[in-house]
Amino acid sequence: MGEIQKMKKRARKKKEKVKFSKVEKKGGLTRKKRMRNGILVVFLVMCFMIGRIGWIQFADGERLKNMAYIQHTLDRKINPKRGTIYDATCEKVLAVSATVRTITVNPVNIKKEDKEKVARALSDIFEVDYEKTLKKVSNRSSIETIAKKVEKKQADELMKWMEENNILTGINVDEDTKRYYPYNNMASQIIGFCGSDNQGLNGLEAVYEDTLKGEMGKIIKITDAKGNTILKEGEDYVSATDGNDLVLTIDATIQGIAEKYLEEACIDNQCTDGGSVIVMDPNTGDILAMAGYPNYNLNEPFTVTDEVAKENWSNLSQEEKSTELQKMWRNKAISDGYEPGSTFKLITASAALEEGITDTDNKGEFNCSGSIEIAGVRIKCWRYYRPHGAQTLREALMNSCNPVFISIGQKLGVHTYYSYLQKFGFLNKTGIDLPGEAGSIFLAEEKVGPVELRNYFFRSKV
Ligand SMILES: [Zn+2]
C-alpha cells in the first residue's frame, strides 16, 4: 500500500470517526429536548390534577359528598307498633295496629334502563299513577315513597317481580303499621283516629300520642356504588320500640247500649242537632260510656256522614269540607254547653241539706202556691194551674217544684250558693283527658244579684 493510500484510508477513517462522533453528538441533543418536553407535560398534567382535586375538594365537594352519602348509606325508618286501646274489661279491643308494608325506592340505585320497567310494575301492583311513579323513580333524591300501608299480599307480589326481573336494589319493602278500629263507629268521638304517619289526630289517639306511639327504629344500609349492600358492614338495624297500651274506663257493652238507644231517640224525635249520653260510675267518677250522635266510622274518618254534605261534597270548598269534618268529629258531650234545667235542683237541695237549712222530710216546711215573686218578678211553677201546696224537700224534688227551690236559694244566699258551685266543680273544667273541653257559663259572683240568682236555683241559667 502506498503512502498516499494509507493517508487516504486514515483520513477516511477519521472522517468516519468524525462523522460518527457528529452523529453521536446530534443524538444527545434530541434526547435532552425530549426529556425537557416530557417533564413539562408531566408538570402540566400534575398542575391540572392538583387543580381538579382542589375543585372537587373545595368547590364541588359538598355536592359530591352528598351524592356519595346518598349512594352509600340508605337510611330507612321502621315504624313502631302503636299501642292497643282496650275497653274497661281489657277484653274488647277498640283500636289496634296491624303490620302492613311501605314501599320506597332509592332512585339513584335503580339502573337507568330499568326505571320505566320498575315504574310500570309499581304502578300496576299498587294501583298508583304511572307518570308520577316514573317521576319518583327518576328523581335524584335519596328516597321516594311509592305506596304506604299496603297489604302483605301486594308486597309479596312486588318481591316476586323483583326476583323474576333480577332487580334487587333500589326498591325497599319495609314493615309499617296500620290502625284498625274493629267496632267502626263505636266511641268514635272519644277514641279519635290517626293520620297516615300513625300520628294521633283526634280524641284519645291525640291526647295519649306519647304513650301510644312508641319509638321509631331505623335501617342504615351501606352500599357500594352499584347499590349492593357492603357485606362486612351490612345493614345496621335499630329495631322500633312498640307503644304502650291504653285501657279505658269505657265499657264497650255499656257504650254500645248507650249509642244504640241514643240513635233511636235522636231519629224518633228528629233531633237535628244530635245528642249525647254520658254514663258515669258515681262512686269513682269513671266514665263508663260517652255516646254521641251522629258519629262516624273510625276506619274512614275523612268520609263525611251528613247526608246533605255528602251529596254536595264535590261542590264544597276546602274550608267548608273542613268545617263539615270538624262537626262530625266533635265530641258534643265535652265541647258543647248544655243547660241542665231542672236537674240543677239537686245541687240547690244538696247545698241546703249540707248547710242544715232544711231536712228531707219536714212536713209542711214549704208551700207552693203556683208562683213566687222574687225581685219584682213573678215566677210560675210548671204546675201553676194546680199548685203543689204543702211540700217537704223530698216532695219538692219529686215534683220539681220551682217556687220551693227559689225560696231555698233565697235562704242560702249568693255567696254560700257560689261556694257550692265551686265545690261541685261547676266553675272549673273537669280536666277529663279528652281534647276540646268547654268551660261552664256562670256569671262572676259579684255580678249576681237576686234577679240573676233566681234562675240558678232551679235551672242553672240566667
Ligand atoms: Zn210547685
Side-chain angles (χ1 to χ4, degrees):
M1 199 185 286
E3 194 60 27
I4 295 170
Q5 273 177 320
K6 275 183 186 169
M7 278 174 70
K8 273 184 182 175
K9 200 178 176 181
R10 236 181 284 145
R12 210 164 41 233
K13 265 189 182 173
K14 204 179 175 185
K15 211 177 176 184
E16 274 173 12
K17 205 179 176 184
V18 168
K19 200 181 166 187
F20 182 65
S21 97
K22 259 190 185 170
V23 170
E24 205 179 43
K25 203 178 176 186
K26 200 180 165 190
L29 278 172
T30 313
R31 211 185 282 164
K32 264 188 189 170
K33 221 176 183 179
R34 273 189 195 154
M35 273 174 78
R36 209 182 303 141
N37 288 346
I39 287 165
L40 194 68
V41 168
V42 169
F43 179 73
L44 285 174
V45 167
M46 278 183 73
C47 280
F48 172 76
M49 284 176 79
I50 289 166
R52 179 80 183 136
I53 287 166
W55 170 259
I56 289 170
Q57 186 66 40
F58 301 109
D60 206 18
E62 205 49 39
R63 186 182 69 86
L64 292 169
K65 209 168 112 186
N66 285 341
M67 275 179 72
Y69 180 77
I70 288 166
Q71 214 164 50
H72 295 299
T73 62
L74 298 165
D75 197 350
R76 278 136 58 203
K77 291 190 165 60
I78 314 163
N79 283 318
K81 199 172 168 201
R82 201 173 167 83
T84 302
I85 302 180
Y86 293 97
D87 88 331
T89 63
C90 283
E91 284 167 10
K92 293 188 176 129
V93 171
L94 304 178
V96 66
S97 288
T99 303
V100 285
R101 304 285 188 277
T102 282
I103 314 300
T104 56
V105 291
N106 309 117
V108 286
N109 290 333
I110 298 172
K111 286 180 205 151
K112 210 172 173 185
E113 61 268 28
D114 288 338
K115 287 192 191 284
E116 284 185 12
K117 199 161 76 170
V118 167
R120 177 62 62 201
L122 291 171
S123 70
D124 284 349
I125 297 170
F126 302 108
E127 293 166 4
V128 287
D129 184 72
Y130 168 72
E131 293 299 329
K132 279 185 192 163
T133 311
L134 181 62
K135 216 173 154 190
K136 285 181 182 174
V137 172
S138 311
N139 256 347
R140 291 176 71 87
S141 57
S142 64
I143 194 153
E144 290 284 340
T145 304
I146 301 297
K148 278 185 166 184
K149 305 186 188 304
V150 297
E151 300 296 335
K152 187 176 176 291
K153 201 179 141 197
Q154 283 172 295
D156 287 348
E157 199 181 322
L158 171 67
M159 280 152 85
K160 197 176 153 206
W161 179 88
M162 285 165 71
E163 212 178 306
E164 283 169 2
N165 290 273
N166 201 28
I167 294 174
L168 304 170
T169 56
I171 306 175
N172 314 304
V173 178
D174 288 329
E175 271 197 11
D176 194 357
T177 62
K178 187 179 176 180
R179 207 67 165 151
Y180 288 104
Y181 302 93
Y183 290 91
N184 295 313
N185 289 47
M186 185 188 271
S188 50
Q189 282 135 349
I190 304 173
I191 297 168
F193 52 88
C194 293
S196 57
D197 54 357
N198 292 326
Q199 192 191 11
L201 295 182
N202 205 294
L204 293 169
E205 292 274 31
V207 174
Y208 285 100
E209 171 68 10
D210 287 344
T211 308
L212 290 162
K213 71 175 179 186
E215 295 255 357
M216 196 79 91
K218 60 183 172 180
I219 304 169
I220 305 163
K221 192 175 177 182
I222 301 168
T223 63
D224 63 14
K226 285 177 185 166
N228 301 314
T229 303
I230 295 170
L231 286 174
K232 273 188 184 170
E233 307 286 343
E235 280 194 342
D236 194 357
Y237 189 95
V238 182
S239 57
T241 311
D242 291 345
N244 293 309
D245 296 340
L246 199 64
V247 179
L248 309 187
T249 58
I250 299 290
D251 183 312
T253 308
I254 301 173
Q255 179 75 21
I257 294 167
E259 285 184 4
K260 179 172 179 263
Y261 289 103
L262 173 64
E263 183 175 349
E264 269 182 35
C266 285
I267 293 169
D268 290 352
N269 296 289
Q270 296 172 337
C271 301
T272 48
D273 254 2
S276 314
V277 169
I278 300 175
V279 183
M280 182 196 268
D281 179 344
N283 297 311
T284 58
D286 284 356
I287 304 295
L288 307 177
M290 186 181 274
Y293 183 83
N295 48 36
Y296 63 98
N297 186 347
L298 288 172
N299 293 308
E300 293 167 1
F302 292 93
T303 306
V304 78
T305 48
D306 182 87
E307 288 302 327
V308 181
K310 209 177 195 172
E311 257 177 49
N312 294 320
W313 197 245
S314 53
N315 300 324
L316 297 184
S317 69
Q318 217 44 45
E319 204 184 329
E320 286 168 325
K321 283 180 182 174
S322 170
T323 308
E324 283 299 330
L325 288 171
Q326 293 290 344
K327 206 168 88 187
M328 182 176 83
W329 298 334
R330 187 180 177 88
N331 185 347
K332 288 172 188 293
I334 293 289
S335 306
D336 287 3
Y338 183 79
E339 189 191 337
S342 282
T343 56
F344 218 68
K345 285 179 176 132
L346 289 169
I347 305 306
T348 309
S350 306
L353 286 171
E354 188 70 17
E355 287 293 304
I357 287 172
T358 177
D359 212 338
T360 48
D361 300 292
N362 290 344
K363 271 211 174 319
E365 189 181 356
F366 303 104
N367 184 52
C368 167
S369 62
S371 67
I372 188 170
E373 198 183 300
I374 177 171
V377 177
R378 187 154 287 279
I379 293 171
K380 281 180 178 175
C381 182
W382 65 271
R383 217 179 70 172
Y384 63 91
Y385 47 88
R386 192 154 57 87
H388 291 111
Q391 298 278 286
T392 63
L393 180 65
R394 188 187 301 272
E395 286 164 343
L397 264 179
M398 282 161 61
N399 293 324
S400 193
C401 178
N402 294 344
V404 170
F405 282 91
I406 289 172
S407 59
I408 293 174
Q410 280 176 314
K411 282 187 192 167
L412 280 167
V414 176
H415 183 67
T416 311
Y417 193 64
Y418 260 68
S419 73
Y420 279 94
L421 293 184
Q422 180 70 48
K423 284 171 192 161
F424 273 111
F426 286 114
L427 304 182
N428 304 310
K429 290 184 180 181
T430 66
I432 191 170
D433 43 359
L434 281 169
E437 185 186 358
S440 54
I441 307 165
F442 281 98
L443 282 177
E445 189 186 326
E446 59 273 14
K447 288 185 179 165
V448 178
V451 183
E452 287 79 23
L453 198 59
R454 68 184 177 217
N455 285 337
Y456 280 173
F457 298 140
F458 69 100
R459 66 176 192 200
S460 90
K461 197 179 175 189
V462 175

